[in-house]
Amino acid sequence: MSKTVLLADDDQLLASLLNFRLKKGGYAVHHSANGKEVKEYLKDSMPDIIVSDIMMPYFSGIELIDYVRNELKSNTPIIIISSAGNEQNVLTAFELGANDFITKPVSPTELLVRIAREIEK
């Protein structure tokens, strides 16, 4: 069975590119365009890995990490992608339990490598 990736990003163009590449890479992808959709999805199912932007409507990537780690008590790997790669965001993401951080623009190939590395741990 293929591994499931929750892709949380409100950038439709990037999301569709990553969606395409992830599916080609053999992953099942669930895309959420905002934090509200992310929370709805996580109520019913937990993906094998979460890839999330920091800047999202309703619920930021930082809040998402906090929610998954502290409310859902899940160790699901989380990779943060963001153009807001300022040091504070990166540190906060890691402090809350993110596994990895990629600065935009994201190379789909690099993302696939990093996802595979996290899932195989």
Side-chain angles (χ1 to χ4, degrees):
M1 209 176 102
S2 56
K3 300 281 188 186
T4 308
V5 178
L6 169 60
L7 178 61
D9 198 322
D10 59 336
D11 178 338
Q12 290 299 338
L13 196 65
L14 177 66
S16 57
L17 169 71
L18 294 179
N19 199 347
F20 174 76
R21 286 298 300 273
L22 288 166
K23 283 182 176 164
K24 250 181 89 174
Y27 295 98
V29 182
H30 177 89
H31 174 241
S32 295
N34 63 58
K36 211 184 277 181
E37 289 176 15
V38 169
K39 276 184 101 164
E40 284 300 310
Y41 175 76
L42 291 175
K43 267 183 203 156
D44 303 319
S45 46
M46 186 53 69
D48 294 294
I49 190 162
I50 298 169
V51 177
S52 176
D53 190 6
I54 281 188
M55 312 294 252
M56 273 191 307
Y58 304 114
F59 196 62
S60 75
I62 298 290
E63 289 170 302
L64 170 65
I65 302 165
D66 185 48
Y67 178 71
V68 170
R69 294 290 181 257
N70 299 315
E71 277 189 54
L72 301 177
K73 304 282 186 237
S74 170
N75 290 325
T76 298
I78 300 173
I79 297 178
I80 293 293
I81 49 176
S82 181
S83 50
N86 71 50
E87 205 174 327
Q88 195 49 55
N89 278 340
V90 178
L91 291 173
T92 305
F94 281 124
E95 278 165 13
L96 287 172
N99 298 72
D100 207 346
F101 192 103
I102 307 175
T103 308
K104 286 182 179 179
V106 177
S107 146
T109 309
E110 181 186 353
L111 181 61
L112 282 167
V113 168
R114 289 179 184 236
I115 286 175
R117 196 182 69 193
E118 288 302 331
I119 286 181
E120 286 160 16
K121 276 185 181 169

